[in-house]
Amino acid sequence: MSDAVRTAEKRMDDAARAAWLYFIGGKTQDEIAGQLDLSRQAVQRLVALAVSEKLIRFRLDHPIAACMELASRLTDRFELQFCDVIPGDAQAPGSIAGVAVAVAMRLERLLTNKAPMVLCVGTGRTMRTAVEEMDTLDRPQHKIVSLVGNMASDGHASPYDVVMRLADKLGAQRFPMPAPVITETIEDREALQGQRVFTLLSELRAQARASFVGVGEIGWNAPMHRDGFMTDADVSALAEQGAAGEITAWSFDAAGRVLQGPINDRVASLPLECPPQRLTVIAGSGPSKIVPIRAALAGHLASALVTDEATASAILSN
Amino acid sequence: MSDAVRTAEKRMDDAARAAWLYFIGGKTQDEIAGQLDLSRQAVQRLVALAVSEKLIRFRLDHPIAACMELASRLTDRFELQFCDVIPGDAQAPGSIAGVAVAVAMRLERLLTNKAPMVLCVGTGRTMRTAVEEMDTLDRPQHKIVSLVGNMASDGHASPYDVVMRLADKLGAQRFPMPAPVITETIEDREALQGQRVFTLLSELRAQARASFVGVGEIGWNAPMHRDGFMTDADVSALAEQGAAGEITAWSFDAAGRVLQGPINDRVASLPLECPPQRLTVIAGSGPSKIVPIRAALAGHLASALVTDEATASAILSN
DNA sequence: CACTTCTGCGAGCAATAGCTCAACAAAAAT
DNA sequence: ATTTTTGTTGAGCTATTGCTCGCAGAAGTG
């Protein structure tokens, strides 16, 4: 055995000793320095070494641990500003309740701020439930802006009227989008977007602090289809193009690239920002959301995620 | 489930989250506070809670870990100033080399000090080897004092001449004890102790910074007997009285009480200090030392211990 | 319903840990 | 043998953490 190796081993022994005394023995570095007859700095270096060499390991005995781990990996992998992973609820697997509460908490935290703020919202079951979970809060200074219409082209409205409900909770100013989600024709869309209100919404969005949106899958029985925003033909055409999901009706492929084509050409929602110019939170959980969320994150269509444990795990295991 | 329990659970969740971010995520408490929207102090309390509730556990992946654990338990149990536990050496089990090196390091550390110092030493194989392991060090200002004679009553000397060897290493002043370990009669001992040199040794010991001694078992083939310091009759008598071990020839029982009786009445060594008035290190390892060391520690005959992993473990499992 | 008790909070401050830098020493290269 | 390089050290400084205290709201009590 070489002398260098011996020295290195001795160093590791000392590092292990120092780390033991520090973390397990709960002593200060000064005390350890006295005990091992080293300078305090030497002890600090040994402790740092033990940590960086993984001699000392931290283990968290709590269900939250797995969630934190997943959240951390998602944040790193997709460069997110934050990621909330809700522990899988044994009582109600597949329920969106947990995720909705987490979104509600994020909304409350943000909106508690007294400085006037513009907040954009999408639609969907998760967003709607999240708003219901929120406490009422008196914030008339805020502005709630819809990123997406809530009518089908036949004029009937989706029940997920997120802007209005959220603005009600706050007593805030509301800016719904008086338009279908997807128009009948490209001309219809162009006509709509020529209107004053669209310019206003666009300007408001530019000032917005954050956007909170759901994420949907593309397929039969997907919300977009079930609620009549998309026809059977639309769904088929999108599937053909490799659509992996949609946010505020904008369909994108598995890499998160917004699709070019006859359906997106008729989407009246405010355009997706890629990369996001402000905090952009997507929320969703369940097996059907795995592919859409993964795609949206891969394409940097969002800068934050709220989901549950099972979904988070599945998103990472591709 | 009561509301109080829910709140407590929520608190633990938060504590777990904070602890995860702090220890595993490596973030500062300030960053965590921002992320969880709490004050820094709240985060510090949560982290402390997680530690105190053992939500977060530290594990050291290194052979030293077991030694540190044993050392810590011994230090607590017997109120020691320090305890060095040397990792069990798979190559040389039962060897005293490791322990001797550790004692040598302790001696070097202490004696490196430039301020003049008095150091008392006992005898024995471990002490002798320890001194051999030491580097030479120029410290003529120190004084090395023997706690024990090194002659049998027939006049032949033990080969473990620790004082002289140690003083040689240091160029230090030496104060051997010119006497048998155990005298023939009580009168002999009294005569010896009336001599000027005994008073001097006593005074020196009173000024000593530390004592380093070995610990011996009582029985046939024990060093005291093999080297002729004790007769067969002495050993039998001591065994009868429940002797569990000896330090500088003073025999004590399993509770560490120094025995009263015809053998200790003839011991010429300086008396044991109980409780020790200075750092008093006992060193030893091996199956035969388990009982003597345990007894010595139980009776607070020493304030520090150097031993090996197997012996430490055995001392604790009684 | 008023009052007391108690828990938990944040501010401020003291203690502890981490970082940077200049100096030095050992190893490598010339 | 001398110079260069590389790595290690402790001092000094800054950032981070932990502790104490007074206060405020919740819980309990007469």
Side-chain angles (χ1 to χ4, degrees):
Chain A
M1 202 186 298
S2 83
D3 223 44
V5 171
R6 269 183 200 289
T7 310
E9 259 180 24
K10 172 83 164 62
R11 200 173 160 67
M12 281 302 173
D13 278 12
D14 285 346
R17 238 183 292 269
W20 195 96
L21 290 166
Y22 188 63
F23 289 108
I24 304 177
K27 300 187 187 305
T28 69
Q29 297 183 352
D30 256 325
E31 289 173 321
I32 299 165
Q35 205 164 326
L36 267 46
D37 200 41
L38 297 163
S39 70
R40 189 188 63 76
Q41 297 91 316
V43 173
Q44 121 76 3
R45 280 177 184 123
L46 288 174
V47 172
L49 179 69
V51 171
S52 70
E53 293 296 316
K54 307 262 167 67
L55 255 43
I56 185 95
R57 303 265 291 266
F58 307 101
R59 205 162 52 88
L60 188 58
D61 287 326
H62 196 282
I64 289 293
C67 297
M68 298 302 295
E69 163 72 16
L70 291 166
S72 163
R73 284 169 62 198
L74 286 164
T75 304
D76 287 354
R77 168 99 74 102
F78 299 111
E79 294 161 23
L80 301 179
Q81 285 181 51
F82 70 78
C83 176
D84 291 351
V85 176
I86 280 63
D89 189 343
Q91 272 85 56
S95 147
I96 62 163
V99 171
V101 170
V103 172
M105 281 169 54
R106 285 282 176 185
L107 282 168
E108 281 185 31
R109 182 179 309 176
L110 196 63
L111 292 164
T112 300
N113 235 301
K114 292 234 170 61
M117 170 190 313
V118 180
L119 187 81
C120 298
V121 293
T123 55
R125 211 156 48 99
T126 304
M127 283 306 300
R128 167 65 185 271
T129 313
V131 170
E132 270 171 12
E133 290 288 344
M134 281 181 67
D135 256 356
T136 56
L137 199 62
D138 190 48
R139 290 289 181 280
Q141 60 270 56
H142 296 335
K143 293 175 181 162
I144 309 300
V145 177
S146 188
L147 292 167
V148 59
N150 78 327
M151 286 179 271
S153 44
D154 65 5
H156 93 256
S158 150
Y160 306 135
D161 196 355
V162 178
V163 202
M164 302 304 268
R165 305 244 169 192
L166 178 53
D168 282 347
K169 289 256 181 190
L170 301 167
Q173 297 175 67
R174 61 204 69 198
F175 298 84
M177 186 180 285
V181 175
I182 302 184
T183 57
E184 290 278 349
T185 65
I186 296 186
E187 292 71 31
D188 285 355
R189 192 211 72 208
E190 285 170 348
L192 263 177
Q193 291 185 337
Q195 290 181 21
R196 175 91 185 76
V197 64
F198 268 84
T199 318
L200 175 65
L201 289 174
S202 241
E203 283 164 0
L204 280 168
R205 199 262 286 266
Q207 301 161 31
R209 179 91 162 64
S211 298
F212 280 70
V213 297
V215 57
E217 68 270 29
I218 301 291
W220 282 272
N221 267 323
M224 290 301 289
H225 178 249
R226 204 177 48 232
D227 298 336
F229 298 133
M230 281 182 191
T231 65
D232 289 7
D234 291 339
V235 171
S236 301
L238 285 170
E240 193 90 353
Q241 283 190 72
E246 59 79 20
I247 289 174
T248 62
W250 294 98
S251 305
F252 46 83
D253 68 13
R257 286 177 299 242
V258 175
L259 294 169
Q260 306 295 317
I263 291 93
N264 275 350
D265 283 350
R266 292 182 285 116
V267 169
S269 317
L270 290 181
L272 296 184
E273 294 179 315
C274 182
Q277 301 301 299
R278 66 213 82 251
L279 179 63
T280 300
V281 184
I282 58 176
S285 65
S288 65
K289 307 286 189 178
I290 296 165
V291 167
I293 293 176
R294 186 191 291 143
L297 295 178
H300 293 106
L301 300 176
S303 59
L305 170 67
V306 181
T307 189
D308 69 10
E309 198 172 347
T311 312
S313 175
I315 291 165
L316 282 162
S317 68
N318 68 331
Chain B
M1 203 187 301
S2 82
D3 223 45
V5 171
R6 269 184 201 286
T7 310
E9 259 179 25
K10 173 83 165 60
R11 200 173 160 67
M12 281 302 173
D13 278 12
D14 285 346
R17 237 183 293 269
W20 195 97
L21 290 165
Y22 187 64
F23 289 108
I24 305 175
K27 302 190 185 303
T28 69
Q29 298 182 354
D30 256 325
E31 289 173 322
I32 298 166
Q35 205 162 326
L36 267 48
D37 200 42
L38 297 163
S39 72
R40 190 190 59 76
Q41 297 91 317
V43 173
Q44 124 74 0
R45 280 176 182 123
L46 288 174
V47 171
L49 179 69
V51 171
S52 70
E53 294 296 318
K54 306 261 166 70
L55 255 43
I56 186 94
R57 303 265 288 267
F58 308 102
R59 215 185 70 225
L60 186 59
D61 287 327
H62 196 281
I64 290 293
C67 296
M68 298 302 295
E69 162 73 16
L70 290 166
S72 162
R73 285 168 61 197
L74 286 164
T75 305
D76 287 354
R77 167 100 74 103
F78 299 111
E79 294 161 22
L80 302 178
Q81 285 181 52
F82 70 78
C83 176
D84 291 351
V85 176
I86 281 63
D89 188 343
Q91 271 87 57
S95 148
I96 62 163
V99 171
V101 170
V103 172
M105 281 170 54
R106 285 282 176 186
L107 282 168
E108 280 184 32
R109 183 178 309 176
L110 195 63
L111 291 163
T112 300
N113 235 302
K114 293 235 169 60
M117 170 191 314
V118 180
L119 187 81
C120 298
V121 293
T123 56
R125 213 155 49 97
T126 304
M127 282 306 300
R128 166 65 185 271
T129 313
V131 170
E132 269 170 12
E133 291 287 346
M134 281 181 67
D135 256 356
T136 56
L137 199 64
D138 189 48
R139 290 289 181 282
Q141 61 270 53
H142 296 334
K143 294 174 179 163
I144 308 301
V145 177
S146 188
L147 292 167
V148 59
N150 78 327
M151 288 180 274
S153 44
D154 64 6
H156 93 256
S158 150
Y160 306 136
D161 196 355
V162 177
V163 202
M164 301 304 269
R165 304 244 169 194
L166 178 54
D168 283 346
K169 289 258 182 188
L170 302 166
Q173 297 175 67
R174 62 204 67 196
F175 298 83
M177 186 180 285
V181 175
I182 302 185
T183 58
E184 290 277 347
T185 65
I186 295 185
E187 292 72 32
D188 286 354
R189 194 212 71 210
E190 285 170 345
L192 262 176
Q193 290 183 340
Q195 292 181 20
R196 174 89 185 77
V197 65
F198 269 83
T199 320
L200 174 66
L201 290 174
S202 242
E203 283 165 359
L204 281 168
R205 198 262 287 267
Q207 302 160 32
R209 179 89 162 66
S211 298
F212 280 69
V213 297
V215 57
E217 67 270 30
I218 301 291
W220 283 273
N221 268 323
M224 291 301 290
H225 178 248
R226 206 175 48 230
D227 298 337
F229 298 133
M230 280 182 189
T231 64
D232 290 7
D234 291 340
V235 171
S236 301
L238 285 170
E240 194 88 357
Q241 283 189 73
E246 56 81 21
I247 288 175
T248 63
W250 294 99
S251 305
F252 45 82
D253 68 14
R257 285 176 300 242
V258 175
L259 294 169
Q260 306 295 317
I263 291 95
N264 275 349
D265 283 349
R266 292 182 286 117
V267 169
S269 317
L270 291 181
L272 295 184
E273 293 179 314
C274 182
Q277 301 301 298
R278 67 213 80 252
L279 178 62
T280 301
V281 183
I282 58 175
S285 63
S288 66
K289 307 287 190 179
I290 296 165
V291 167
I293 293 175
R294 185 190 291 142
L297 295 178
H300 292 106
L301 300 176
S303 57
L305 170 66
V306 180
T307 190
D308 69 9
E309 198 173 347
T311 313
S313 174
I315 291 165
L316 282 162
S317 67
N318 69 330

